[in-house]
Structures are given as structure tokens and as C-alpha cells.
Amino acid sequence: MAGKKIRVTIWNEYRHEKEEEPSGESYPEGIHGCIRNFLSECDDLEIRTATLDEPDCGIPDEVLDNTDVLMWWGHVAHNKVPDDRVEYIRNRVYNGGMGFIACHSAHHSKPFRALVGTTGNLSWGDNCHEIIWNLKPSHPIAAGIPDHVDLGLEEMYGEPFYIPQPDDLIFGCWYDSGHIFRGGCTFTRGLGKIFYFQPGHEECRSFYNPYVQQILKNGVHWVAPNDFGYKNPCEAPYVKPVV
Amino acid sequence: MAGKKIRVTIWNEYRHEKEEEPSGESYPEGIHGCIRNFLSECDDLEIRTATLDEPDCGIPDEVLDNTDVLMWWGHVAHNKVPDDRVEYIRNRVYNGGMGFIACHSAHHSKPFRALVGTTGNLSWGDNCHEIIWNLKPSHPIAAGIPDHVDLGLEEMYGEPFYIPQPDDLIFGCWYDSGHIFRGGCTFTRGLGKIFYFQPGHEECRSFYNPYVQQILKNGVHWVAPNDFGYKNPCEAPYVKPVV
Amino acid sequence: MAGKKIRVTIWNEYRHEKEEEPSGESYPEGIHGCIRNFLSECDDLEIRTATLDEPDCGIPDEVLDNTDVLMWWGHVAHNKVPDDRVEYIRNRVYNGGMGFIACHSAHHSKPFRALVGTTGNLSWGDNCHEIIWNLKPSHPIAAGIPDHVDLGLEEMYGEPFYIPQPDDLIFGCWYDSGHIFRGGCTFTRGLGKIFYFQPGHEECRSFYNPYVQQILKNGVHWVAPNDFGYKNPCEAPYVKPVV
Amino acid sequence: MAGKKIRVTIWNEYRHEKEEEPSGESYPEGIHGCIRNFLSECDDLEIRTATLDEPDCGIPDEVLDNTDVLMWWGHVAHNKVPDDRVEYIRNRVYNGGMGFIACHSAHHSKPFRALVGTTGNLSWGDNCHEIIWNLKPSHPIAAGIPDHVDLGLEEMYGEPFYIPQPDDLIFGCWYDSGHIFRGGCTFTRGLGKIFYFQPGHEECRSFYNPYVQQILKNGVHWVAPNDFGYKNPCEAPYVKPVV
């Protein structure tokens, strides 16, 4: 893939930042704007953004067809995303190998639920002190990350977290509320790779944390599709003996 | 759970056996009848059967509410199973811990797809010689099973098999057509456990094989729910600090 | 296996309790005595204990040959266990399917290191407030355990924990020191099953906690060997085609 | 790591090729020579070779200290590799993140056994027809590989294969002898990544197969170490609360 850029689409619900005080202050260009800014430091990425209130939620077929990695941030308007967009995303991941990164409250987004196959339910609580522990330093997503990252104030997302057993559990979260969380984990579905990462409440400033930025940069590169040796066939291909 | 019986419901589409020659001969009481017969050798099981053409497909709410383990065989009529039954099954597995065993072509059944979250697509071919290899002898589902089982004639189901990475890969299938298959594997979803097992084409006689019977008996006991220490809470419970 | 009892050997280093104040007070019969007492509530277990200062460390060949599950507690005298005992244990697990439960500081014991193949290194700190979270309620070892167990004071064992990726991550530990730990996890090696569980510092009273007792009872039943369908063959058997 | 080359050391026992007919014909420059030739097509690799009969087996400390990825081929002389080399390799993988690729009969090599913690035992049989199936196309090691590769004649290595449950099962092998094999799988140990790959009998010509070459090129890049954010600490660091 030398020389070929990874085409990233950052999708943001973009409601909080326009309407509420602390979010607007934290992310004056929107969360997608903040993410775009730091991802732009990577030369090999070609980045666009998309938001809920654009036509087709900003992700018509032609955009998704030309997206290698889709990042997703959503919270209060999960239900506004039309089912046909969800199904299209799922097919792109499954059969096209598009990568998917679910940020923070995207655990309850339609695409994440459809991809991993569970509800994504979890316990939540008030903002509190969060520390992220690096459980798998050999994983490319953990490259350059120390044994722990003191994140400061974040929204508490705790166990039980209703996800399938992840392929890789890379980061574990500690909260001073007494909770823990499998906050950085990966899944594979068909040809595609998925990464869920906990930080990113609209009222907090985690997307400005240099380690969070590094992890998301690593994540984009890790979920990006392989140069596949084959494409998914039809639903139930009849095959002849190969010997 | 000492003394408490495991309540098993064997669900069968039950179309082939009534209508087609070789299936009717192989399974004169239906596939569900054959499975019921050998499962009945276990004293700790309380068994009922259900078929597609009964009211509510034989699985109204009160049946599912009183089922610990649901076995599923379907093939030509996957689409006839109403979505509300699928959703009820999914909830029972997810939030109630009901076990689910998908036999053979149930890889494409609505409940299996809903539970594991993928299409279940695979390659298929004509009946051929199948050998099952025991890849995880320490797993309870492999108890009493030798290093390999020569199954004789079975329908060929081959890779690529579009499932999420299984928790346990217990059995691998070899076919003289040159194919292999991850034919015995487990998944966990919420409180529930799932087992997929390849053998069981309606024209073949795999359900009479003593090792296949042993594996399915083991499977029923393994997917049966724990005596849980807690029930799933609501979708997104707000929790206070525990310290 | 109905009617057949599981033969458990509880091995304890048994140095702290004889020599030091708080340990002696917490465990007047030794840690092994305390574990024996609560395991004795299970009718299907046949229990013996063994300690370091007995001949052959209390585990000569004939004892290990007649042990289905070996529990291990050690701390200051790991090096006193002779290598030939370690190798014998490893073979029993690997080729005979003997289960192994490593309690607390057994993460650094010779048998645990030999079995999982890593150093078992971890970070440790002073006793502090520990809460155990139930990450896989569907696992038999978690049967009857609520979503979290408030353990009170325990020794802090934190990440990074140098273990291979576990088969199952069942419990995660939270400490008020800001650390987390993969404190309840399983591995399979050959025919045998292994369970590591964090609580059990000699100065604390975790082995009196009813949930810790329940988890260890569950653990003994889970690591107990299957009734295997085959035994491990020689090192590199030459095999003829099976078709 | 842009601009930094991956330093690869190809280690070969190099006995068969000097002494035996078919091996010498297949690999006139030795197996290591053949591997070096095709790996040299990658611009970002800096390659050296090492063989058993060189001083320190060709891998003194200073060579290993400057190796990012160690490939290993051995067969008849596993025992000639000194234990101190094995321990040094293990430390480099574990604490330094050096990648390790075990080719073919390296399943029984001392370093592989030490790294994964099991015997690596398997069943073996005469050369026969082998087909490799791609079970995880989304994995970087499978990039560019079709759904199956018809390898022709290879030595039969079959299940049961005594390895721990792999992190990733990427390739499965089919043999016309009726056997199957988990022939392409990965493990993580400490900071290091490990890849085992089945093909490569000294009498066959698998290392000339373009897909085998592609898989090994992919493997070298995948096991290469991250730019770690931290180094392994001492054995049991005492840590203070981080909050």
C-alpha cells in the first residue's frame, strides 16, 4: 500500500457542541474538527468529516464506498441515523474490509451494535478521575503509550459492558468511583477490523490528550483494510472439490 | 443446580423429512425426534420439541421463558421464522442466559445470525467424506471424544466461514473435497453461551453417530445457564460510586 | 463422572503462618487449613493438604498421580520447590489433564511459570482497598457471583501483568491506589486447565470472604479434568493416512 | 519508525542441505539462503543469516541485541542449541519485543518451546498434498493471500498440536492423508510477537511458493517490535499509589 493514502471519514453527531455550554467551549470546531486537526499530522491520511444533519447524514453510498476507516462519535441522537446507512456501513466493514472506530458513547450507536452483535450496554456515572492502563504493549495500537495514562476527568463508563469477548483487550480503565472498564478493545467481523475506545465525553477534553491522540492515530492505521487477496463471495457459494 | 433439571427445547424446521425421500428415510420421526431420543438418555434433562408449523413456531413466550437450552435445526425456511421470535430468543440468551446450539445449516438461521452478529456465510459443496478433529480435548464439550471421528458422508461446509473469532475452537472438519471448516466452536453473548456444530445434513445419518450424540449431550450441559449472581440491568443504568 | 469424587490437593508453602504475627492470627490452621475447611462443604470433593516442609514437599509422584486438582499457595520460598516436582506437575497437567489453581502470590511460583510459559511478573504495592468486577458472568467460575465483590483490604497486585493472553478473563480488580489487574483468568495447556485468582495475601482475610470461597469452589470444579477420549501420545508420533 | 529498517536474522540449522540429496538440490544455498533471497525484495529490511555451526550458533549477544525479528528453521539438531542462547532469545522477545517466526519443524525447537510454554508436539506423516486455507483475511499476515493456496507436496504435520490457544488462527492446513493442522498462528509473550507457519520441509520446495514468500514477508513486518512507550521493569517492582 506504499504511497496509497488511507481515506478516513470522521463522523460526528454534532449536536452537543452547537447547543450546550461546556461542549461548545471544549470543542468549538466540533469533536470532529478536533479529531481532524490531530489526525492531519499524519501524512498518509486523507481526511473528511461528516455530520448527522447533512444530507444522508453526510455518508451517502459514494462517501462510504471511498472510505477506508470510519470513525464514529454519537450520543443523544443514535436513533436519527437511518437503518439503511447502518446496513451499508455493516456491509462495507464486513465485505469490503472498511475499518470502524467507535469513540466513547458510540458503544450505543446503531453501527457499533450491528457490527459486534450485542447491545453495548454498560454502567455509567458522573465524571470522575480516570486512568488508562496499557494491557497489551505489543499491540500496534499501544505503540508509544506508557504503562498508564492519567486522563484526569472523564465520564465514568463501567462494567458490566455487554460486548462479545474481544479479540484483543488493549486498554483497561480505572475510575476513582470504584469501577473498571474494558475501555480499549478490538473485534474482527468478516474482512473488517473494529476498535472501541472509551475516552471522549463532550464535556471533557480527552481528545486534546496527546496519548489519546496517539492511540487514535495508531487505531486508524490498525483498522485500515489489508490489500485483500480475495473478495467476499456471494452468500452461499456452491464450490467444487479443490482436489 | 443439584437436582434441578435442564429444560431443553429442540426446535426443528421439519420440512425436509415430511416431503423428501432421503430425509424421510433417515429421520422418520423428524430430526427433532432423533435428537430427542438420544438426549433422553440423560437423566438430568427435561426435553420438549417444537417445529415451524406449530402456532408461534412452537416457541411462544411461555415456552422460551421455560427453556434453559434451545437447539436449532433449520434450512429451507429460515425466513418463515418471525422476527419477534428471533428477538425474543436473543433477549433470552443475552439477558436470561439461555443456551443456544446451532446444528448444521442453522449457521444461516435468523437466531444464529442475530446472536453472533455476522452473516454466517460459508462455502458449501456436495456430500463427501468428513473427518472431525478434536482440537481442544480439555473442553467439556470434547469429553469422551477421541482425537478424531470418522463421520463418513456429510454435506461439505467449508471456509471461509463468516463468524466472529470464536471463544473456543473445539472441532475442525476435514473433507476429501480439499476443504476444511471450523465446525465446532463456541461464543458468549451477554449471560448466554452458544455452540455451533457442523454435522447434521438431512440426507445423512450423522445424528445416529455415537460421538455426534456425545458431543451434543456435552454441548447441552455446557451451554446451560449458570445460577447467576446477578441479572442484567436496564439498558444504561446510572450508577453511583461504589467507594 | 457421576459418583466419582474430584481429588483435590491443597499445597501451601506454610511459612508465614508459623513465623509471623498477622498471618498466624488470620490463619491459625494455615492457609491450606482454611481452604480445606470451606472446600469440605462440597460433597463431591476428596481433599488432602500438602506443605513445603513435608518430604517431597508433600507431593511425591503417588500423590500427584492421584490428584485431579492441585491448588497452590506460595510466596517467600518459591525456590525451595525442587525442579523435578515442577516438571512432574507440568506433565500431569499437560498429559494427564490435572487442573491447577494458582492463588495470589503463586503468580511467581515455579509451577505457574512453567505452565503458562512467562515470568508472571507484576507490579505490587501496599495493602489497599480492592474491588473485584465480574467480567464474564456466563463462565462457570462466576456462577453465583454478583457484578462486583467489595473485598476490603488486600495486597495490591497491578498491571502490567506478564501473562500470555488468557483464554477467559473472568474477573478484573480495582484498587484505590489507582491500579487495575486481570485478577481472575484461565489458560489451557495440553489436556489441562489452569485458573489464576488474585486474592489471598497472608496478612488479609480474603479466604474467609464467602464470594472468594464460592469462586474457588467453582474453580476446582471447572479445572477438574474431563473424562478424556484419548491420552496424549508420545512426543512425535508417526501417523499413517486416516483415509 | 519511518525510515528505520527492520533488522532480520534468519537462523538455520543448515545440516540437511549439506549432507542429504533432496535437500541440497532444493536449497543449494541452504534454506536460509533461499529465505534471504526473497526477503531481500523488501526495501525496509536489513537481513543477516546465522547457522548452527558458526561460533555461538551465529547468534552471540551482540547479534541478538541488534535483531528485531528472528526467523528460525531447525530439525535434527534442536539439542545442539545451547540453553543460554535460548534464554537470551526468550529475554529479547519477552523484555525487548524482538519478534520470532518459527518455520516448519521449529515447532520442536528449544526457543519456540520456551516461548510458548508447551512441548509443541504434533502428529507427523509422509509428504502428501497440502492446501492452506485463509481463516482470517483481515489479519496483516494474510494480506494479498487468496482464500486458499494449493501448496502441492509438503510434509504432513497434523493435530493434535500441543500449543496454547493462539491469539490468532490465520491459516488452517488440509492434507490428503485425512489430517488438518492449525498451521499459521500467532502468540504474544511479554512485549514480543510470535508467528508459527507450517510449510518448509527440507525435501520440498515450499519456500519457492510465491504465497509462502508473501506470508513470510507479511509475518516479518507483523512480528517486528513496536516503538514501545515503556520498557519492562524489574521482576517485581514495588509501586506507590498513582492517585
PDB file of all heavy atoms in Angstrom, chain A residues 221-242:
ATOM      1  N   HIS A 221      -4.581   3.487  11.699  1.00  0.00           N
ATOM      2  CA  HIS A 221      -3.683   2.676  10.874  1.00  0.00           C
ATOM      3  C   HIS A 221      -3.947   1.187  11.060  1.00  0.00           C
ATOM      4  O   HIS A 221      -3.813   0.400  10.120  1.00  0.00           O
ATOM      5  CB  HIS A 221      -2.223   3.023  11.191  1.00  0.00           C
ATOM      6  CG  HIS A 221      -1.824   4.369  10.682  1.00  0.00           C
ATOM      7  ND1 HIS A 221      -2.005   5.521  11.414  1.00  0.00           N
ATOM      8  CD2 HIS A 221      -1.295   4.763   9.487  1.00  0.00           C
ATOM      9  CE1 HIS A 221      -1.589   6.565  10.700  1.00  0.00           C
ATOM     10  NE2 HIS A 221      -1.145   6.129   9.535  1.00  0.00           N
ATOM     11  N   TRP A 222      -4.331   0.798  12.273  1.00  0.00           N
ATOM     12  CA  TRP A 222      -4.531  -0.635  12.527  1.00  0.00           C
ATOM     13  C   TRP A 222      -5.821  -1.159  11.901  1.00  0.00           C
ATOM     14  O   TRP A 222      -5.857  -2.255  11.364  1.00  0.00           O
ATOM     15  CB  TRP A 222      -4.519  -0.921  14.031  1.00  0.00           C
ATOM     16  CG  TRP A 222      -4.573  -2.384  14.306  1.00  0.00           C
ATOM     17  CD1 TRP A 222      -3.538  -3.275  14.255  1.00  0.00           C
ATOM     18  CD2 TRP A 222      -5.735  -3.152  14.634  1.00  0.00           C
ATOM     19  NE1 TRP A 222      -3.991  -4.544  14.533  1.00  0.00           N
ATOM     20  CE2 TRP A 222      -5.326  -4.501  14.772  1.00  0.00           C
ATOM     21  CE3 TRP A 222      -7.086  -2.846  14.826  1.00  0.00           C
ATOM     22  CZ2 TRP A 222      -6.224  -5.539  15.089  1.00  0.00           C
ATOM     23  CZ3 TRP A 222      -7.984  -3.866  15.143  1.00  0.00           C
ATOM     24  CH2 TRP A 222      -7.540  -5.191  15.276  1.00  0.00           C
ATOM     25  N   VAL A 223      -6.902  -0.364  11.962  1.00  0.00           N
ATOM     26  CA  VAL A 223      -8.168  -0.865  11.389  1.00  0.00           C
ATOM     27  C   VAL A 223      -8.219  -0.718   9.872  1.00  0.00           C
ATOM     28  O   VAL A 223      -9.105  -1.288   9.233  1.00  0.00           O
ATOM     29  CB  VAL A 223      -9.429  -0.183  12.004  1.00  0.00           C
ATOM     30  CG1 VAL A 223      -9.488  -0.372  13.508  1.00  0.00           C
ATOM     31  CG2 VAL A 223      -9.537   1.278  11.621  1.00  0.00           C
ATOM     32  N   ALA A 224      -7.288   0.049   9.303  1.00  0.00           N
ATOM     33  CA  ALA A 224      -7.303   0.224   7.852  1.00  0.00           C
ATOM     34  C   ALA A 224      -7.220  -1.131   7.160  1.00  0.00           C
ATOM     35  O   ALA A 224      -6.537  -2.032   7.628  1.00  0.00           O
ATOM     36  CB  ALA A 224      -6.131   1.119   7.421  1.00  0.00           C
ATOM     37  N   PRO A 225      -7.942  -1.275   6.047  1.00  0.00           N
ATOM     38  CA  PRO A 225      -8.032  -2.601   5.424  1.00  0.00           C
ATOM     39  C   PRO A 225      -6.712  -3.075   4.832  1.00  0.00           C
ATOM     40  O   PRO A 225      -5.900  -2.281   4.374  1.00  0.00           O
ATOM     41  CB  PRO A 225      -9.076  -2.413   4.324  1.00  0.00           C
ATOM     42  CG  PRO A 225      -9.130  -0.951   4.065  1.00  0.00           C
ATOM     43  CD  PRO A 225      -8.755  -0.266   5.346  1.00  0.00           C
ATOM     44  N   ASN A 226      -6.526  -4.385   4.866  1.00  0.00           N
ATOM     45  CA  ASN A 226      -5.454  -5.027   4.101  1.00  0.00           C
ATOM     46  C   ASN A 226      -5.694  -4.856   2.612  1.00  0.00           C
ATOM     47  O   ASN A 226      -6.809  -4.565   2.186  1.00  0.00           O
ATOM     48  CB  ASN A 226      -5.473  -6.547   4.343  1.00  0.00           C
ATOM     49  CG  ASN A 226      -4.961  -6.926   5.701  1.00  0.00           C
ATOM     50  OD1 ASN A 226      -4.292  -6.153   6.350  1.00  0.00           O
ATOM     51  ND2 ASN A 226      -5.282  -8.136   6.114  1.00  0.00           N
ATOM     52  N   ASP A 227      -4.675  -5.124   1.875  1.00  0.00           N
ATOM     53  CA  ASP A 227      -4.812  -5.302   0.440  1.00  0.00           C
ATOM     54  C   ASP A 227      -5.215  -6.771   0.241  1.00  0.00           C
ATOM     55  O   ASP A 227      -4.373  -7.643   0.112  1.00  0.00           O
ATOM     56  CB  ASP A 227      -3.453  -5.006  -0.205  1.00  0.00           C
ATOM     57  CG  ASP A 227      -3.524  -5.060  -1.706  1.00  0.00           C
ATOM     58  OD1 ASP A 227      -4.633  -5.003  -2.250  1.00  0.00           O
ATOM     59  OD2 ASP A 227      -2.448  -5.179  -2.315  1.00  0.00           O
ATOM     60  N   PHE A 228      -6.529  -7.001   0.274  1.00  0.00           N
ATOM     61  CA  PHE A 228      -7.009  -8.379   0.361  1.00  0.00           C
ATOM     62  C   PHE A 228      -6.686  -9.211  -0.873  1.00  0.00           C
ATOM     63  O   PHE A 228      -6.714  -8.714  -1.986  1.00  0.00           O
ATOM     64  CB  PHE A 228      -8.526  -8.427   0.586  1.00  0.00           C
ATOM     65  CG  PHE A 228      -8.900  -7.776   1.857  1.00  0.00           C
ATOM     66  CD1 PHE A 228      -9.580  -6.571   1.865  1.00  0.00           C
ATOM     67  CD2 PHE A 228      -8.532  -8.357   3.061  1.00  0.00           C
ATOM     68  CE1 PHE A 228      -9.899  -5.954   3.053  1.00  0.00           C
ATOM     69  CE2 PHE A 228      -8.851  -7.737   4.255  1.00  0.00           C
ATOM     70  CZ  PHE A 228      -9.526  -6.533   4.252  1.00  0.00           C
ATOM     71  N   GLY A 229      -6.452 -10.479  -0.615  1.00  0.00           N
ATOM     72  CA  GLY A 229      -6.196 -11.407  -1.700  1.00  0.00           C
ATOM     73  C   GLY A 229      -7.469 -11.947  -2.300  1.00  0.00           C
ATOM     74  O   GLY A 229      -7.441 -12.604  -3.328  1.00  0.00           O
ATOM     75  N   TYR A 230      -8.577 -11.700  -1.648  1.00  0.00           N
ATOM     76  CA  TYR A 230      -9.847 -12.124  -2.251  1.00  0.00           C
ATOM     77  C   TYR A 230     -10.967 -11.264  -1.702  1.00  0.00           C
ATOM     78  O   TYR A 230     -10.851 -10.659  -0.649  1.00  0.00           O
ATOM     79  CB  TYR A 230     -10.114 -13.595  -2.017  1.00  0.00           C
ATOM     80  CG  TYR A 230     -10.453 -13.986  -0.601  1.00  0.00           C
ATOM     81  CD1 TYR A 230     -11.762 -14.300  -0.240  1.00  0.00           C
ATOM     82  CD2 TYR A 230      -9.475 -14.058   0.373  1.00  0.00           C
ATOM     83  CE1 TYR A 230     -12.073 -14.685   1.057  1.00  0.00           C
ATOM     84  CE2 TYR A 230      -9.781 -14.435   1.662  1.00  0.00           C
ATOM     85  CZ  TYR A 230     -11.073 -14.741   2.003  1.00  0.00           C
ATOM     86  OH  TYR A 230     -11.375 -15.112   3.283  1.00  0.00           O
ATOM     87  N   LYS A 231     -12.043 -11.237  -2.443  1.00  0.00           N
ATOM     88  CA  LYS A 231     -13.216 -10.501  -2.012  1.00  0.00           C
ATOM     89  C   LYS A 231     -14.230 -11.519  -1.482  1.00  0.00           C
ATOM     90  O   LYS A 231     -14.239 -12.676  -1.884  1.00  0.00           O
ATOM     91  CB  LYS A 231     -13.839  -9.739  -3.195  1.00  0.00           C
ATOM     92  CG  LYS A 231     -12.914  -8.692  -3.794  1.00  0.00           C
ATOM     93  CD  LYS A 231     -12.528  -7.624  -2.783  1.00  0.00           C
ATOM     94  CE  LYS A 231     -11.440  -6.697  -3.295  1.00  0.00           C
ATOM     95  NZ  LYS A 231     -10.528  -6.281  -2.234  1.00  0.00           N
ATOM     96  N   ASN A 232     -15.099 -11.060  -0.623  1.00  0.00           N
ATOM     97  CA  ASN A 232     -16.167 -11.939  -0.149  1.00  0.00           C
ATOM     98  C   ASN A 232     -17.038 -12.385  -1.313  1.00  0.00           C
ATOM     99  O   ASN A 232     -17.414 -11.580  -2.153  1.00  0.00           O
ATOM    100  CB  ASN A 232     -17.044 -11.194   0.849  1.00  0.00           C
ATOM    101  CG  ASN A 232     -16.553 -11.396   2.254  1.00  0.00           C
ATOM    102  OD1 ASN A 232     -15.513 -11.985   2.460  1.00  0.00           O
ATOM    103  ND2 ASN A 232     -17.298 -10.906   3.212  1.00  0.00           N
ATOM    104  N   PRO A 233     -17.340 -13.663  -1.341  1.00  0.00           N
ATOM    105  CA  PRO A 233     -18.182 -14.173  -2.412  1.00  0.00           C
ATOM    106  C   PRO A 233     -19.646 -13.917  -2.074  1.00  0.00           C
ATOM    107  O   PRO A 233     -19.976 -13.253  -1.095  1.00  0.00           O
ATOM    108  CB  PRO A 233     -17.876 -15.659  -2.379  1.00  0.00           C
ATOM    109  CG  PRO A 233     -17.562 -15.941  -0.945  1.00  0.00           C
ATOM    110  CD  PRO A 233     -16.986 -14.682  -0.374  1.00  0.00           C
ATOM    111  N   CYS A 234     -20.525 -14.485  -2.869  1.00  0.00           N
ATOM    112  CA  CYS A 234     -21.946 -14.355  -2.596  1.00  0.00           C
ATOM    113  C   CYS A 234     -22.275 -15.094  -1.304  1.00  0.00           C
ATOM    114  O   CYS A 234     -21.409 -15.675  -0.654  1.00  0.00           O
ATOM    115  CB  CYS A 234     -22.758 -14.907  -3.755  1.00  0.00           C
ATOM    116  SG  CYS A 234     -22.582 -16.689  -3.911  1.00  0.00           S
ATOM    117  N   GLU A 235     -23.546 -15.071  -0.945  1.00  0.00           N
ATOM    118  CA  GLU A 235     -23.954 -15.539   0.376  1.00  0.00           C
ATOM    119  C   GLU A 235     -23.597 -17.002   0.657  1.00  0.00           C
ATOM    120  O   GLU A 235     -23.165 -17.340   1.752  1.00  0.00           O
ATOM    121  CB  GLU A 235     -25.472 -15.344   0.511  1.00  0.00           C
ATOM    122  CG  GLU A 235     -25.978 -15.710   1.877  1.00  0.00           C
ATOM    123  CD  GLU A 235     -27.398 -15.232   2.085  1.00  0.00           C
ATOM    124  OE1 GLU A 235     -27.619 -14.001   2.071  1.00  0.00           O
ATOM    125  OE2 GLU A 235     -28.269 -16.087   2.245  1.00  0.00           O
ATOM    126  N   ALA A 236     -23.817 -17.852  -0.316  1.00  0.00           N
ATOM    127  CA  ALA A 236     -23.605 -19.272  -0.062  1.00  0.00           C
ATOM    128  C   ALA A 236     -23.101 -19.935  -1.330  1.00  0.00           C
ATOM    129  O   ALA A 236     -23.813 -20.638  -2.015  1.00  0.00           O
ATOM    130  CB  ALA A 236     -24.902 -19.933   0.408  1.00  0.00           C
ATOM    131  N   PRO A 237     -21.858 -19.670  -1.667  1.00  0.00           N
ATOM    132  CA  PRO A 237     -21.336 -20.175  -2.933  1.00  0.00           C
ATOM    133  C   PRO A 237     -21.243 -21.697  -2.938  1.00  0.00           C
ATOM    134  O   PRO A 237     -20.778 -22.308  -1.976  1.00  0.00           O
ATOM    135  CB  PRO A 237     -19.937 -19.551  -3.009  1.00  0.00           C
ATOM    136  CG  PRO A 237     -19.566 -19.298  -1.593  1.00  0.00           C
ATOM    137  CD  PRO A 237     -20.829 -18.989  -0.866  1.00  0.00           C
ATOM    138  N   TYR A 238     -21.714 -22.274  -4.033  1.00  0.00           N
ATOM    139  CA  TYR A 238     -21.512 -23.714  -4.227  1.00  0.00           C
ATOM    140  C   TYR A 238     -20.100 -23.895  -4.762  1.00  0.00           C
ATOM    141  O   TYR A 238     -19.699 -23.239  -5.716  1.00  0.00           O
ATOM    142  CB  TYR A 238     -22.535 -24.261  -5.218  1.00  0.00           C
ATOM    143  CG  TYR A 238     -22.231 -25.669  -5.623  1.00  0.00           C
ATOM    144  CD1 TYR A 238     -22.528 -26.740  -4.787  1.00  0.00           C
ATOM    145  CD2 TYR A 238     -21.619 -25.926  -6.854  1.00  0.00           C
ATOM    146  CE1 TYR A 238     -22.231 -28.037  -5.156  1.00  0.00           C
ATOM    147  CE2 TYR A 238     -21.319 -27.227  -7.224  1.00  0.00           C
ATOM    148  CZ  TYR A 238     -21.623 -28.275  -6.377  1.00  0.00           C
ATOM    149  OH  TYR A 238     -21.321 -29.563  -6.737  1.00  0.00           O
ATOM    150  N   VAL A 239     -19.339 -24.739  -4.112  1.00  0.00           N
ATOM    151  CA  VAL A 239     -17.956 -24.929  -4.558  1.00  0.00           C
ATOM    152  C   VAL A 239     -17.711 -26.385  -4.910  1.00  0.00           C
ATOM    153  O   VAL A 239     -18.275 -27.288  -4.306  1.00  0.00           O
ATOM    154  CB  VAL A 239     -16.933 -24.480  -3.494  1.00  0.00           C
ATOM    155  CG1 VAL A 239     -16.991 -22.977  -3.304  1.00  0.00           C
ATOM    156  CG2 VAL A 239     -17.169 -25.198  -2.169  1.00  0.00           C
ATOM    157  N   LYS A 240     -16.881 -26.585  -5.899  1.00  0.00           N
ATOM    158  CA  LYS A 240     -16.493 -27.937  -6.295  1.00  0.00           C
ATOM    159  C   LYS A 240     -15.259 -28.358  -5.512  1.00  0.00           C
ATOM    160  O   LYS A 240     -14.553 -27.517  -4.954  1.00  0.00           O
ATOM    161  CB  LYS A 240     -16.193 -27.957  -7.796  1.00  0.00           C
ATOM    162  CG  LYS A 240     -17.439 -27.668  -8.619  1.00  0.00           C
ATOM    163  CD  LYS A 240     -17.237 -28.054 -10.067  1.00  0.00           C
ATOM    164  CE  LYS A 240     -18.547 -27.847 -10.835  1.00  0.00           C
ATOM    165  NZ  LYS A 240     -18.322 -27.729 -12.288  1.00  0.00           N
ATOM    166  N   PRO A 241     -15.009 -29.641  -5.468  1.00  0.00           N
ATOM    167  CA  PRO A 241     -13.767 -30.084  -4.815  1.00  0.00           C
ATOM    168  C   PRO A 241     -12.562 -29.344  -5.378  1.00  0.00           C
ATOM    169  O   PRO A 241     -12.513 -29.056  -6.580  1.00  0.00           O
ATOM    170  CB  PRO A 241     -13.710 -31.576  -5.148  1.00  0.00           C
ATOM    171  CG  PRO A 241     -15.135 -31.978  -5.312  1.00  0.00           C
ATOM    172  CD  PRO A 241     -15.823 -30.781  -5.931  1.00  0.00           C
ATOM    173  N   VAL A 242     -11.621 -29.031  -4.519  1.00  0.00           N
ATOM    174  CA  VAL A 242     -10.409 -28.356  -4.992  1.00  0.00           C
ATOM    175  C   VAL A 242      -9.276 -29.362  -5.217  1.00  0.00           C
ATOM    176  O   VAL A 242      -8.160 -28.968  -5.556  1.00  0.00           O
ATOM    177  CB  VAL A 242      -9.955 -27.237  -4.025  1.00  0.00           C
ATOM    178  CG1 VAL A 242     -10.977 -26.129  -3.995  1.00  0.00           C
ATOM    179  CG2 VAL A 242      -9.690 -27.776  -2.639  1.00  0.00           C
TER     180      VAL A 242
END
